[in-house]
């Protein structure tokens, strides 16, 4: 092996030994830098004869090309290694399943409410919403339940400071909604003309001091009210039966109106239902209070009871949801246990 081949091998070995790009550039300088070996070899040509210069010069050029090739190869290898390292560090396992956001679902009570709103909406009922902290007038007095009325003790009322109560039922919405409705149509009413009918439901939270498997201090009711010039008990029956059949998606049930008492209706009825099949078959279940709106309540709405008449009902939504979903303990709805709630998604 001649000296030039020797030099090429040394350069290749040095380049291979360089661990970083900086080391590689230093090694390069040693061989093909301005004062590197190749330059020195070129200087040595001066002392040679013309014929010798030719062959020696050509051989040095071959060496230089060889060193440059080795350098380029080493640079490329380093760049490739660096890229491979980086790719490895940033590696993604695209076969791993993605981390999804947990999907939520509507609470069964919310679902029952939406269902009720859709059914009554299809029958032309408006949906209204009102305050849960109520005053005495709307919760009791306007509903023909004055301060000394024994019916007040039937409601285990939560009293709030300042003479307010947590509404014990959704019935105050009858007055609130009707008063607004009457105000909107006062000109017609004053002119002795017919007012558009009041047809509304008001679902929402209600409160009573009560707690067991079928009672919660916070529960849900839906109030219904239909007032016009010619609304009778048979309208209550047909509307409510229609509602129940749609809510439970069956006509295989019986519904009865059992005489009862509420201060704000006369006559009054308790509505019971009985499934014709299924686990609850043959058992009467109480689902609602109802009745023909009391003349005093019609008056408190700002209407003439000689002209206007209607019906109202107030149903327990939690009860309806329990029956629909087959839940036997009301408290499950409000415990916030996802194992229970996720079943309704
Ligand atoms: N508000 C009554 C209650 O909570 C239920 C009720 C009965 C509502 C008769 C009505 C009705 O609208 O007409 O016990």
């Amino acid at each position: 092996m001649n000296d030039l081949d020797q030099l090429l091998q040394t350069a290749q070995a040095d380049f291979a030994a360089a661990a970083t790009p900086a080391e590689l550039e230093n090694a390069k300088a040693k061989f093909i830098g301005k004062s590197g070996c190749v330059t020195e070899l070129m200087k040595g040509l001066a002392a040679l004869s013309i014929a010798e210069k030719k062959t020696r010069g050509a051989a040095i050029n071959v060496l230089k090309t060889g060193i440059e090739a080795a350098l380029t190869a080493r640079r490329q290898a380093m760049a490739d290694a660096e890229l491979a390292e980086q790719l490895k560090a940033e590696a993604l396992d695209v076969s791993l399943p993605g981390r999804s956001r947990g999907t939520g679902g509507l609470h069964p009570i919310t679902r029952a409410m939406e269902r009720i709103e859709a059914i009554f909406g299809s029958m032309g009922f408006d949906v209204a919403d009102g305050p849960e902290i109520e005053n005495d007038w709307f919760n009791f007095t306007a509903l023909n339940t004055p301060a000394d009325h024994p019916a007040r003790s039937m409601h285990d009322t939560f009293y709030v400071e300042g003479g307010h109560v947590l509404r014990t039922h959704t019935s105050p919405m009858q007055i609130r909604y009707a008063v607004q409705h009457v105000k909107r149509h006062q000109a017609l009413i004053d002119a002795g003309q017919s007012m558009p009918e009041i047809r509304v439901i008001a679902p929402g939270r209600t409160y009573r001091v009560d707690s067991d498997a079928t009672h919660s201090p916070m529960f849900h009711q839906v109030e219904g009210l239909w007032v016009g010039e010619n609304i009778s008990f048979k309208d209550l029956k047909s509307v409510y039966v229609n509602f129940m059949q749609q809510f439970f998606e069956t006509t295989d049930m019986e519904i009865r109106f059992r005489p009862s008492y509420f201060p704000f209706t006369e006559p009054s009825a308790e509505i019971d239902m009985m499934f014709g099949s299924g686990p609850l078959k043959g058992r009467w279940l109480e689902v609602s209070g109802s009745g023909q709106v009391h003349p005093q309540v019609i008056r408190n709405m700002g209407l003439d009871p000689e002209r206007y008449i209607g019906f109202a009902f107030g149903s327990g939504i939690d009860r309806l949801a329990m029956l629909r979903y087959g839940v036997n303990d009301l408290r499950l709805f409000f415990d916030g246990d996802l194992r229970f709630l996720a079943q309704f998604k």
Side-chain angles (χ1 to χ4, degrees), residues 110-130:
T110 305
R111 291 188 35 174
M113 276 195 189
E114 291 191 345
R115 198 173 163 74
I116 291 167
E117 289 172 17
I119 295 168
F120 280 102
S122 77
M123 293 192 257
F125 280 74
D126 196 5
V127 178
D129 203 355

Side-chain angles (χ1 to χ4, degrees), residues 29 61 70 87 92 112 119 149 162 174 214 244 308 312 322 324 342:
N61 272 336
L87 287 177
L92 283 181
I119 295 168
H149 197 287
Q174 288 188 31
T214 54
M244 292 301 270
Y308 290 98
M322 284 170 82
R324 176 164 168 84

Side-chain angles (χ1 to χ4, degrees), residues 56-335:
R56 181 70 174 168
I60 293 173
N61 272 336
V62 170
L63 167 66
K64 193 180 173 196
T65 309
I67 292 175
E68 280 168 354
L71 177 69
T72 305
R74 182 67 184 129
R75 274 182 184 153
Q76 189 59 50
M78 270 185 176
D80 288 350
E82 194 188 359
L83 182 62
E85 193 68 30
Q86 190 184 349
L87 287 177
K88 205 172 129 196
E90 295 169 6
L92 283 181
D93 182 350
V94 294
S95 67
L96 273 179
R99 225 172 285 149
S100 64
R101 278 174 190 235
T103 51
L106 291 178
H107 191 279
I109 298 294
T110 305
R111 291 188 35 174
M113 276 195 189
E114 291 191 345
R115 198 173 163 74
I116 291 167
E117 289 172 17
I119 295 168
F120 280 102
S122 77
M123 293 192 257
F125 280 74
D126 196 5
V127 178
D129 203 355
E132 292 169 27
I133 298 177
E134 198 41 287
N135 64 36
D136 190 274
W137 168 256
F138 287 113
N139 197 80
F140 292 120
T141 308
L143 292 165
N144 200 32
T145 318
D148 55 359
H149 197 287
R152 283 209 181 192
S153 61
M154 282 161 44
H155 293 204
D156 303 297
T157 310
F158 281 110
Y159 290 92
V160 183
E161 279 176 11
H164 287 76
V165 299
L166 297 186
R167 67 178 181 187
T168 56
H169 49 180
T170 44
S171 301
M173 284 307 295
Q174 288 188 31
I175 308 293
R176 285 188 176 275
Y177 186 88
V179 165
Q180 291 295 321
H181 183 92
V182 166
K183 215 189 259 172
R184 264 203 307 281
H185 302 291
Q186 196 63 58
L188 276 180
I189 294 167
D190 289 347
Q193 287 182 285
S194 288
M195 165 195 81
E197 291 181 346
I198 296 171
R199 207 184 304 174
V200 66
I201 60 162
R205 280 187 278 269
T206 48
Y207 302 85
R208 288 185 207 177
V209 186
D210 215 347
S211 188
D212 60 41
T214 54
H215 296 89
S216 147
M218 186 281 295
F219 57 106
H220 300 81
Q221 287 191 339
V222 55
E223 196 74 13
L225 178 69
W226 189 343
V227 172
E229 292 181 15
N230 203 10
I231 307 300
S232 73
F233 216 89
K234 82 170 192 300
D235 298 305
L236 165 62
K237 278 190 155 180
S238 70
V239 163
Y240 209 85
V241 168
N242 192 316
F243 161 59
M244 292 301 270
Q245 291 179 346
Q246 288 197 57
F247 187 81
F248 290 109
E249 293 176 284
T250 177
T251 51
D252 187 15
M253 64 164 85
E254 277 186 66
I255 298 194
R256 75 177 177 199
F257 290 74
R258 179 167 42 85
S260 184
Y261 172 78
F262 297 100
F264 33 90
T265 42
E266 181 58 38
S268 303
E270 212 83 60
I271 306 176
D272 301 331
M273 67 163 299
M274 184 163 72
F275 288 109
S277 57
L280 292 167
K281 173 186 158 115
R283 256 179 62 194
W284 283 112
L285 307 158
E286 193 182 306
V287 287
S288 189
S290 68
Q292 183 177 299
V293 182
H294 192 287
Q296 185 55 44
V297 175
I298 294 283
R299 218 170 277 127
N300 291 339
M301 291 171 176
L303 293 170
D304 175 6
E306 295 296 329
R307 180 161 184 174
Y308 290 98
I309 185 168
F311 70 74
F313 62 82
S315 313
I317 294 178
D318 313 285
R319 188 72 191 279
L320 292 175
M322 284 170 82
L323 293 173
R324 176 164 168 84
Y325 298 121
V327 173
N328 54 20
D329 191 328
L330 175 65
R331 290 167 293 200
L332 286 168
F333 283 141
F334 309 125
D335 281 348

